[in-house]
Amino acid sequence: MQINEIRVGVSSCGLAAGAQDVLNLLKERTDVPVLGVGCIGHCYAEPLVEVITDAGSLLFRNIQGTTKDIDAVLSLNTKNNPEKQLHIRSERTSRENLRITGLIGKSEPVDIDAYVSFGGFDGLKKALRMAPESVVDEVKQSQLRGRGGGGFSTGVKWSLLAAKSSGDKVIICNGDEGDPGAFMDRSLMESLPYQVLEGMLIAAHATGATKLFIYCRAEYPLAIRNIRIAIDKVRELQLNAIGGTPLDIEVKEGAGAFVCGEETALIHSLEGKRGMPRFRPPYPTDSGYHGLPSMISNVETFANVPVILRDGAASFSSVGTAGGRGTKLFALAGDIKYPGLVEVPMGITLGEIIYEIGGAEPGSVKAVQTGGPSGGCIPASLFDTPVDYDSLNSLGAIMGSGGLIVIGNNRCMVETARYFLDFTHRESCGKCTFCRVGAKRMFETLEQITAGDGTKDDIAFLEDMGRKVKAGSLCGLGATAPNPVLATLRYFRSEFEAHVVDKQCPALECAALCDVTIDKALCTECKLCLKNCALNAISEDYVVDNDICTRCNSCIESCAQDAIARVKAGQGYRGSVEREVG
């Protein structure tokens, strides 16, 4: 086979795994074109190298910048290195529908000529031949709903801005994406910057917007770099000349405040003020950035627009369900075998995503957290639920921007709720009393429960305060912050009761509610546990003193015989033992 081209994934996931060294070495070793491309979603296999030959494509996984690995790629040596070849599983490909991410991995992200050669800007060209109101109607007919979490009709939002009579109108792309475990928007900005810009330019033509902003958190340096390069290229080719007037496109770097994902807080930040939400009405389409009519959509929403214009609204809406048309990007993370980015049709079930695409073993998963820290934990018994806005809302969860965190059986749901609320209560801007104080009191209560000091009254308090925080908060952060707690109480109440009544953590995750013990029948007395225990909590005759032990797991992780384990509170030794302290 003859090698025609080599592609190396150099998005953030690939670079973090060492892809830059792989790219550099391949360029040194061969005269064949070597491209640094975007992430195709198989983040578990990074650094990922695709070799295009005259007989087809070969994918190599986990390639490192070593002579051995580079030789394997250049010699197409898959027989002697079967572990290095990535076989795309049919369980994944049969369920994916790559419409929005179809161009990822085919060219360098900032190569505008390559983007055009793959059909880039065809949607914009078509839109410019249409009357603005016809473009709005096309988006309405597609039934595209906002991919940032709210699920509001994109076409209706466009029509609201288009109806405003103003000399200046503003379009803002929300790339703040603060959810832990979410990386859909980052991947799109890194890998398909021109597609995001094309969607914004189509929106500008349809609504009469004169100023475009991309608000991206500063923690996304590669996304910001690629977006800025793409903006410069668009300006050079005057593709931003909508209606004969070049539109100004500006990137604003956010400081990483989660609340700035809320549109009015984002606008305040964009204006140079503290990012805090305000009452609505007036809505941004009436009075937004510096009082101008403004429209905000997230990155994935704009990335859908060129596909809708290129292929038509009917094609787009033919995929999905009544509760959500088109495809959706999800960031798979947590206790699964194949974490990464996937694009699937709306209506696919949670089970198909988690088991068939994510590779989790059936029976190994307890729940999935949808919608990031503001979402809800859905139990495995409901994994046959179709994924769309309305179905997830009915379960006490939300679609959110598309983060899916899989929670294995070894996880404690009380600790999971505490973890997510720890994030959201810290990210509160403090404007609303219920969000500022109520969410913090809920977090403190969860701290008490996981520390073994909880009571039954604490459960009642969490439910009562959770409802009040949702009802009494101004923006979506406070209104959704209690979701992880209320959802876990709804589906995993028995775990809360075990913590407060039995003073036990069924998952053995809460350190205060479990002990550590050594099975003498398995122990080989290799002394690794003794050497790794910083507090000398293990005696010379291999007994763990649980009054001293902090449950750091160092001994468990160092034991090659699996002789050390956590057990229920009260089952391990407590009290002073003779031991050598040194």
Side-chain angles (χ1 to χ4, degrees):
M1 290 185 290
Q2 178 181 338
I3 299 177
N4 298 325
E5 185 175 275
I6 299 175
R7 302 167 181 172
V8 182
V10 289
S11 287
S12 291
C13 52
L15 293 175
Q20 189 62 54
D21 289 341
V22 176
L23 180 68
N24 294 341
L25 284 171
L26 282 169
K27 285 184 175 181
E28 291 175 5
R29 293 279 307 276
T30 181
D31 294 328
V32 171
V34 180
L35 308 180
V37 300
C39 172
I40 63 171
H42 298 266
C43 303
Y44 61 91
E46 298 286 0
L48 186 63
V49 177
E50 182 177 13
V51 182
I52 310 298
T53 74
D54 52 359
S57 170
L58 288 174
L59 280 168
F60 291 83
R61 57 180 292 163
N62 304 129
I63 295 298
Q64 300 299 317
T66 65
T67 300
K68 178 182 177 182
D69 279 8
I70 300 302
D71 285 344
V73 171
L74 295 178
S75 63
L76 304 179
N77 188 344
T78 57
K79 291 184 179 180
N80 295 332
N81 298 278
E83 75 285 353
K84 290 294 183 180
Q85 187 175 6
L86 175 65
H87 297 281
I88 305 298
R89 301 162 50 250
S90 60
E91 293 90 345
R92 173 169 177 149
T93 56
S94 64
R95 289 167 175 82
E96 284 186 312
N97 191 328
L98 305 183
R99 293 190 170 203
I100 312 307
T101 60
L103 299 184
I104 289 185
K106 294 184 177 180
S107 63
E108 293 179 335
V110 296
D111 185 343
I112 193 168
D113 293 330
Y115 180 69
V116 171
S117 70
F118 286 115
F121 295 110
D122 283 355
L124 176 61
K125 293 173 183 176
K126 181 179 177 181
L128 292 176
R129 294 193 296 267
M130 300 166 61
E133 56 271 21
S134 298
V135 178
V136 174
D137 287 341
E138 190 79 9
V139 176
K140 279 185 179 179
Q141 291 171 22
S142 73
Q143 301 179 59
L144 172 66
R145 296 174 66 172
R147 298 304 196 238
F152 188 76
S153 167
T154 301
V156 170
K157 185 180 284 190
W158 284 25
S159 67
L160 292 173
L161 184 65
K164 302 302 174 186
S165 297
S166 175
D168 288 302
K169 301 180 189 179
V170 179
I171 285 178
I172 303 168
C173 176
N174 183 352
D176 192 56
E177 192 174 53
D179 294 7
F183 46 89
M184 301 76 54
D185 291 347
R186 171 180 61 77
S187 296
L188 287 172
M189 288 186 288
E190 289 179 354
S191 303
L192 294 172
Y194 292 112
Q195 187 167 318
V196 176
L197 289 174
E198 183 180 359
M200 294 181 70
L201 292 171
I202 292 171
H205 168 64
T207 62
T210 55
K211 174 78 174 178
L212 308 182
F213 284 104
I214 298 174
Y215 186 97
C216 180
R217 55 181 42 233
E219 293 93 332
Y220 286 175
L222 182 59
I224 292 170
R225 169 189 172 273
N226 286 357
I227 282 286
R228 282 183 167 151
I229 293 174
I231 290 173
D232 289 341
K233 295 287 187 182
V234 165
R235 285 174 179 155
E236 286 178 18
L237 297 178
Q238 298 185 340
L239 293 170
N240 62 325
I242 305 299
T245 302
L247 301 184
D248 188 22
I249 310 173
E250 184 178 336
V251 177
K252 165 70 174 180
E253 295 184 39
F258 183 61
V259 72
C260 286
E262 194 278 335
E263 58 183 15
T264 60
L266 186 156
I267 288 173
H268 281 152
S269 176
L270 201 60
E271 293 172 339
K273 304 171 185 175
R274 181 179 176 186
M276 297 180 74
R278 63 163 172 81
F279 284 102
R280 295 176 296 177
Y283 293 94
T285 48
D286 296 317
S287 178
Y289 176 73
H290 289 305
L292 297 172
S294 306
M295 184 190 76
I296 303 176
S297 291
N298 88 318
V299 172
E300 186 182 342
T301 307
F302 282 118
N304 272 273
V305 172
V307 178
I308 292 172
L309 267 293
R310 183 192 68 209
D311 300 337
S315 174
F316 181 89
S317 61
S318 67
V319 176
T321 68
R325 298 294 181 183
T327 60
K328 181 72 187 78
L329 299 186
F330 287 101
L332 285 177
D335 298 320
I336 51 174
K337 189 175 182 181
Y338 304 113
L341 186 74
V342 298
E343 182 182 353
V344 292
M346 290 276 198
I348 190 173
T349 66
L350 287 168
E352 287 179 283
I353 297 175
I354 294 164
Y355 296 126
E356 305 302 331
I357 296 177
E361 291 293 332
S364 68
V365 175
K366 181 183 292 187
V368 63
Q369 173 83 3
T370 67
S374 300
C377 293
I378 300 172
S381 60
L382 296 176
F383 280 4
D384 59 349
T385 300
V387 176
D388 59 41
Y389 297 92
D390 303 331
S391 298
L392 294 182
N393 287 345
S394 70
L395 300 180
I398 60 174
M399 174 84 74
S401 58
L404 284 180
I405 301 178
V406 180
I407 303 167
N409 288 331
N410 61 327
R411 308 292 182 184
C412 170
M413 297 309 299
V414 184
E415 165 57 25
T416 298
R418 187 208 66 81
Y419 172 83
F420 284 118
L421 199 60
D422 184 23
F423 175 84
T424 48
H425 98 272
R426 292 174 186 271
E427 291 292 331
S428 170
C429 74
K431 185 171 186 175
C432 304
T433 302
F434 273 108
C435 182
R436 181 183 70 249
V437 181
K440 184 173 177 61
R441 294 294 172 264
M442 291 180 69
F443 170 72
E444 291 170 347
T445 302
L446 289 167
E447 289 259 273
Q448 289 178 197
I449 294 174
T450 55
D453 300 324
T455 67
K456 275 191 171 182
D457 290 341
D458 289 332
I459 296 178
F461 170 78
L462 288 172
E463 290 180 313
D464 179 58
M465 185 55 67
R467 289 190 290 267
K468 290 176 178 175
V469 171
K470 286 176 70 71
S473 297
L474 176 61
C475 82
L477 189 155
T480 58
N483 282 353
V485 183
L486 296 177
T488 48
L489 278 169
R490 178 178 177 180
Y491 298 115
F492 301 96
R493 193 180 192 89
S494 62
E495 292 199 28
F496 282 83
E497 292 173 343
H499 280 67
V500 301
V501 177
D502 304 326
K503 303 300 180 183
Q504 299 287 346
C505 175
L508 302 176
E509 189 174 4
C510 297
L513 297 175
C514 65
D515 289 340
V516 177
T517 188
I518 299 177
D519 187 338
K520 296 290 188 70
L522 297 175
C523 178
T524 59
E525 301 185 2
C526 67
K527 296 189 177 183
L528 282 176
C529 58
L530 296 176
K531 294 176 181 177
N532 282 278
C533 182
L535 298 177
N536 297 302
I538 305 174
S539 67
E540 291 291 341
D541 57 345
Y542 300 96
V543 175
V544 180
D545 186 341
N546 283 280
D547 284 338
I548 300 174
C549 175
T550 60
R551 321 303 192 265
C552 71
N553 287 349
S554 293
C555 60
I556 296 174
E557 293 167 359
S558 66
C559 182
Q561 306 302 318
D562 294 327
I564 312 176
R566 289 191 176 200
V567 293
K568 289 183 178 181
Q571 293 185 356
Y573 177 78
R574 289 180 177 272
S576 61
V577 295
E578 292 184 7
R579 58 189 179 277
E580 182 179 342
V581 179

